[in-house]
Amino acid sequence: MTLFALYETAAITRYIDRVFPGPALQPVEPKALARMDQIIGVVDAYGYWPMVRQVFSLRVFRRQLGQPADEAEIAKGLAAAAKVLAALENLTADTAFLVGPALSLADLHLGAMLAYFVQAREGEALLQEHARLAAWWRHLRQRPSFGATDPGLP
């Protein structure tokens, strides 16, 4: 058996969706698929660092470790996250999920990051400034599978 090593979340989730049985998590329609790819790209390129590394890690995770927060760095993260959330708000479809009526990898990709981001009170408040995105988040977090896969951090 040849070892197949793969890294990068987006590559891993696309591979799993293609190889394993179950409902498809990538739209078939080309425009919806392109929008899914765009949202994942935006989240990876611009969202992860400010939302998870700067806001969640410095505000929430450090507190759990008894370490002081870096307020200047958190403020930078919130400013960058505001731009990302505004862009995502403009990309969000007027449907139950980000790119259409069915759950996609875009929902899961962003959802995992938002689950951490909103643990910071400032992150939750910032999300609420984006009505469609906040409504999507309320819908997504109610899914039993979303709760079942919560890693329990911090």
Side-chain angles (χ1 to χ4, degrees), residues 58-79:
L58 299 178
R59 170 68 71 219
V60 179
F61 197 67
R62 274 194 175 182
R63 183 181 308 140
Q64 292 296 98
L65 297 175
Q67 298 176 354
D70 183 337
E71 297 299 334
E73 199 64 23
I74 292 169
K76 288 179 192 175
L78 289 167

Side-chain angles (χ1 to χ4, degrees), residues 7 50 52 58-59 67 71 91 100 113 116 120 131 142 146-147 150:
Y7 58 90
V52 178
L58 299 178
R59 170 68 71 219
Q67 298 176 354
E71 297 299 334
L91 296 175
M113 289 183 203
Y116 290 123
Q142 291 176 19
F146 202 80
D150 183 345

Side-chain angles (χ1 to χ4, degrees), residues 93-112:
D94 286 325
T95 57
F97 298 102
L98 291 175
V99 299
L103 182 73
S104 78
L105 293 177
D107 298 294
L108 301 174
H109 207 83
L110 176 58

Side-chain angles (χ1 to χ4, degrees), residues 9 21 25 96 104 112 115 131 138:
T9 301
L25 295 173
S104 78
R138 284 190 298 275

